[in-house]
Amino acid sequence: TGTLTIVYRSPTPLYTELTFEARNTGIDGRKVRAHGELHAADRLCVEADGIFILVPHERFVDHAREHGGAPA
């Protein structure tokens, strides 16, 4: 995660069915931009925008090996 911005638009009610929606809004090289929303019925409770960095799977495996973790 490069950046993650969360804006709380209204209180999220308890004991209510919630709907999460997310979409890719763009890719620029290794950067993936995304937007998400949390709704309780028609009520927008939360919005989020993030930039995520693509990392090759091999880097995770190498990191796990170097630090005693089991490779995936």
Side-chain angles (χ1 to χ4, degrees):
T1 304
T3 61
L4 182 59
T5 303
I6 300 171
V7 179
Y8 297 94
R9 298 293 183 186
S10 65
T12 303
L14 297 174
Y15 313 110
T16 302
E17 184 173 326
L18 302 173
T19 303
F20 294 87
E21 298 175 10
R23 65 183 173 276
N24 176 332
T25 59
I27 298 176
D28 181 18
R30 293 182 14 186
K31 294 180 183 178
V32 177
R33 296 181 192 320
H35 177 82
E37 297 177 354
L38 168 66
H39 291 264
D42 291 335
R43 172 200 245 173
L44 174 62
C45 299
V46 179
E47 286 186 286
D49 288 289
I51 299 174
F52 303 91
I53 311 303
L54 292 174
V55 178
H57 178 74
E58 298 80 34
R59 283 191 62 189
F60 284 105
V61 172
D62 291 344
H63 182 79
R65 286 185 183 134
E66 291 172 9
H67 298 281

